[in-house]
Amino acid sequence: MSLKLHNTYSHKIEELVPSNPDGVVRMYCCGPTVYNYAHIGNLRTYIFEDVLRRTILRNGFKLTHVMNVTDVGHLTSDADEGDDKMLLAAEREKKSVLDIARKYEDTFFKHTAALNIMRPDIVCRATDHVQDMIKFVEKLEEKGYAYFSNGNVYFDTAKFPAYGMLSGQNRKDLRHGARVEEDTNKRNPSDFVLWFTSSKFKDQILQWDSKWGRGYPGWHIECSTMSMKYLGEHLDIHCGGVDHIAVHHENEIAQSEAYLGHKWCKMWLHGEFLQMKNDVKMSKSKGNFITLDTLIEKGYSPLHYRYLTLTSHYRSPLIFSYENLDAAATAYNNLKAKYVEFKQVGEVSVSDDDLKLYQAYLDEFNSHLDMDLHTPQAMALLWKVVKDKNLPASLKVKFMDEADTVFALDLAKVEENKAMDAPVIDDAIKALVEERKAARVAKDWKKSDEIRDKLLAQGIVLKDLPNNEVEISIK
RNA sequence: GGCCGGUUGGCAGAAUGGUUAUGCAGAGGACUGCAAAUCCUUUGAUAUCGGUUCAAUUCCGGUACCGGCCUCCA
């Protein structure tokens, strides 16, 4: 058994082999910038990373998983048009920058927990590591990769010939000022800021002293600094969204390998976007996004959304619409109902052939996950198992439990909240039910249906069982 | 302008050089007084134009359209 993953750097599927002698897989994932709520597109990427994490563990590897929280405002860009995001958020909400950051950080982890996303082993905030970043930049400067120009420290991409390898973009093809005003302090268009002391924008609230003057770090430096601090010089896996490939991850590679003097990260994995149907891209900066709370308010469970994301491959775009979410919610509810049904059957004797069949299914399931996290095929297989008449219910339950170690859909968890907000079935309702029973005995179908409709209007569903028994449930 | 990725049934979404998963929806049937739920069965798709091939949805090329990146974004 081996775990194979698609490496953006090589464009190939490669086997995961830990590069450190202790055999521990070292994984770093780009975390949230906490100036606003994470939207469901952001969350898709974290679900993908969680599936990756769970699959690594399922393969028996030891893992150290690190994620950053970007709580220092960064405009970073070398010729930025925008204001600092954190500062804007603070103004918008009349709070201090750090209060804002903590608030959104808390919400982020509340949302990821609701989606059954395991918390990384180490979560690190940028603001706690600024001194480390300063040292990092100093060393880059000593090694001749950085230059000081008009108040800012820049990384000189001309000194790093491999720049652009990840995204396949040539340094020279990058368009000067394609979308942004050109920064004339830079030597090359692809150069990026490591440390700011001067900005044409408002004074930053969060600033630190450095040998170049009081200022703040460029955005890219935090990921290199913190990943090395916690994971050392040889990283196995670095994850993020596809939008990070071209600039952020390219810059991370440049500054990290320049700093270390050797190859840094082995595998790069990137999650594709969630696309809105008939709509423009969801983005924090445009403010047009759907959060997990939006879905909850509409009556969906966070796990309905998790299910939806599992039906597509992480490297394919997924189209979001409420129609699709409804389909996922129905499928998910049906799956859970199956679990309950199989569980009720209880233990029955299982033959060797049954066990063989079970094992064959399980092997196939693992092989789908181990082939670049192919959750859609694994999910299709789960349904096949659920519907297989030749497999005893107890083994179906066992299979579903196994699948849930990666899917994390709480298939075994019994819903209790439904009973909480259920209307009370009072005496008046009971009386109507009895009245209807009598009507049915008398074959007075008109009256019977009237009573059923009346109760349905109150959200009470009647289901006729044999022997004139009635099951009363809540819509 | 450069660079990535994509176009599969009603909606999503896999796979594949010859037989096109899975879920949701639809249809028919069983059950029911009728329903609901459930179960069984089932219709239906590979953007477009060329090329290679015995055979292309799959490989190659052109076109159109879509998404993303080149500024912080998952």
Side-chain angles (χ1 to χ4, degrees):
Chain A
M1 193 156 75
S2 65
L3 176 54
K4 297 197 171 66
L5 301 167
H6 179 266
N7 186 354
T8 307
Y9 200 90
S10 66
H11 299 271
K12 286 184 183 132
I13 307 272
E14 296 171 7
E15 184 177 346
L16 175 64
V17 181
S19 45
N20 290 274
D22 60 7
V24 176
V25 175
R26 287 159 170 78
M27 177 162 93
Y28 183 90
C29 298
C30 287
T33 302
V34 282
Y35 66 83
N36 207 332
Y37 296 107
H39 57 64
I40 57 174
N42 300 124
L43 293 171
R44 183 188 181 199
T45 299
Y46 297 107
I47 294 171
F48 139 61
E49 289 164 357
D50 184 61
V51 168
L52 172 60
R53 179 197 166 108
R54 288 169 183 274
T55 303
I56 290 170
L57 294 174
R58 191 175 163 78
N59 270 272
F61 289 110
K62 287 196 177 105
L63 172 73
T64 305
H65 175 189
V66 176
M67 187 180 78
N68 65 299
V69 171
T70 302
D71 58 347
V72 56
H74 53 264
L75 44 145
T76 59
S77 65
D78 322 306
D80 208 311
E81 308 243 349
D83 276 326
D84 181 291
K85 300 268 170 24
M86 296 279 297
L87 190 61
L88 280 179
E91 274 182 4
R92 188 171 71 222
E93 305 192 16
K94 307 280 182 221
K95 284 183 181 174
S96 85
V97 173
L98 274 182
D99 285 345
I100 292 288
R102 295 299 175 260
K103 174 191 151 186
Y104 288 121
E105 184 184 320
D106 288 348
T107 306
F108 175 80
F109 284 111
K110 202 184 96 204
H111 285 175
T112 51
L115 287 162
N116 280 346
I117 294 169
M118 295 169 81
R119 194 181 166 98
D121 303 296
I122 297 168
V123 173
C124 44
R125 292 173 179 151
T127 50
D128 293 334
H129 297 78
V130 174
Q131 294 312 315
D132 297 311
M133 295 182 214
I134 290 171
K135 283 180 199 144
F136 199 110
V137 176
E138 283 173 354
K139 186 164 172 190
L140 284 176
E141 198 175 38
E142 282 164 26
K143 293 185 105 176
Y145 286 102
Y147 60 91
F148 188 78
S149 174
N150 201 20
N152 295 333
V153 183
Y154 293 87
F155 186 91
D156 187 349
T157 52
K159 300 268 174 66
F160 189 76
Y163 191 86
M165 290 290 284
L166 184 68
S167 58
Q169 288 192 115
N170 192 299
R171 280 199 312 115
K172 288 171 188 152
D173 290 338
L174 289 171
R175 204 179 207 191
H176 285 253
R179 290 164 69 189
V180 174
E181 188 187 335
E182 194 177 338
D183 180 350
T184 51
N185 298 324
K186 296 199 297 190
R187 291 180 186 167
N188 313 287
S190 53
D191 290 356
F192 53 94
V193 176
L194 297 167
W195 186 265
F196 284 100
T197 68
S198 78
S199 166
K200 54 187 172 183
F201 307 106
K202 294 172 188 167
D203 288 339
Q204 302 294 303
I205 292 168
L206 296 173
Q207 293 203 32
W208 294 264
D209 288 321
S210 78
K211 62 178 279 196
W212 310 282
R214 198 163 168 76
Y216 52 96
W219 178 47
H220 314 290
I221 200 69
E222 66 171 272
C223 288
S224 291
T225 304
M226 293 193 285
S227 82
M228 273 183 217
K229 174 162 185 169
Y230 295 106
L231 295 169
E233 295 192 0
H234 295 277
L235 194 58
D236 293 303
I237 299 174
H238 197 309
C239 301
V242 285
D243 54 326
H244 278 154
I245 297 172
V247 175
H248 179 51
H249 289 165
E250 207 72 83
N251 292 351
E252 273 191 63
I253 291 171
Q255 66 201 5
S256 297
E257 298 195 354
Y259 177 95
L260 292 169
H262 61 70
K263 175 98 176 155
W264 172 51
C265 178
K266 232 170 157 179
M267 302 178 97
W268 291 83
L269 273 68
H270 294 98
E272 255 293 350
F273 273 169
L274 184 76
Q275 275 175 231
M276 298 307 290
K277 195 161 192 173
N278 305 323
D279 203 355
V280 293
K281 174 191 166 189
M282 250 196 284
S283 72
K284 286 187 186 180
S285 47
K286 286 176 188 156
N288 61 331
F289 56 81
I290 299 173
T291 66
L292 196 64
D293 286 334
T294 312
L295 300 187
I296 293 169
E297 281 160 21
K298 286 178 183 281
Y300 296 99
S301 148
L303 296 181
H304 289 152
Y305 180 65
R306 183 169 174 119
Y307 182 96
L308 176 66
T309 67
L310 294 177
T311 62
S312 73
H313 188 83
Y314 76 90
R315 282 192 289 119
S316 299
L318 170 62
I319 297 175
F320 179 86
S321 69
Y322 285 107
E323 187 186 358
N324 298 340
L325 187 59
D326 283 338
T330 304
Y332 173 77
N333 294 339
N334 289 345
L335 198 58
K336 280 201 77 148
K338 287 288 181 192
Y339 188 94
V340 172
E341 183 189 322
F342 298 146
K343 195 82 180 173
Q344 280 168 350
V345 172
E347 288 297 321
V348 289
S349 65
V350 176
S351 71
D352 285 350
D353 283 347
D354 293 335
L355 284 172
K356 256 189 198 165
L357 182 62
Y358 166 81
Q359 192 57 46
Y361 276 138
L362 194 59
D363 290 347
E364 192 183 341
F365 182 81
N366 289 331
S367 74
H368 288 317
L369 288 177
D370 292 349
M371 182 43 76
D372 199 27
L373 313 178
H374 213 311
T375 55
Q377 287 195 326
M379 186 64 82
L381 182 70
L382 174 58
W383 278 101
K384 194 176 166 189
V385 169
V386 163
K387 297 196 169 177
D388 189 335
K389 290 170 195 147
N390 295 317
L391 195 68
S394 61
L395 290 178
K396 290 185 182 181
V397 169
K398 203 171 164 190
F399 184 92
M400 292 173 95
D401 286 336
E402 284 287 338
D404 220 29
T405 62
V406 173
F407 287 169
L409 292 169
D410 284 350
L411 295 178
K413 196 168 165 186
V414 179
E415 298 301 335
E416 287 158 11
N417 53 356
K418 222 175 176 181
M420 300 272 288
D421 51 56
V424 182
I425 297 172
D426 55 26
D427 289 343
I429 291 169
K430 282 179 186 160
L432 279 171
V433 170
E434 289 307 317
E435 195 181 330
R436 179 168 174 276
K437 273 188 186 175
R440 294 188 74 224
V441 170
K443 296 198 189 298
D444 184 350
W445 309 127
K446 187 165 178 274
K447 188 175 180 188
S448 163
D449 290 350
E450 276 171 10
I451 294 172
R452 185 168 63 193
D453 290 345
K454 187 179 172 186
L455 288 175
L456 183 63
Q458 297 174 33
I460 292 162
V461 182
L462 298 187
K463 194 163 113 184
D464 294 321
L465 303 174
N467 301 322
N468 205 18
E469 292 295 319
V470 180
E471 184 182 304
I472 305 169
S473 59
I474 308 306
K475 197 175 180 180

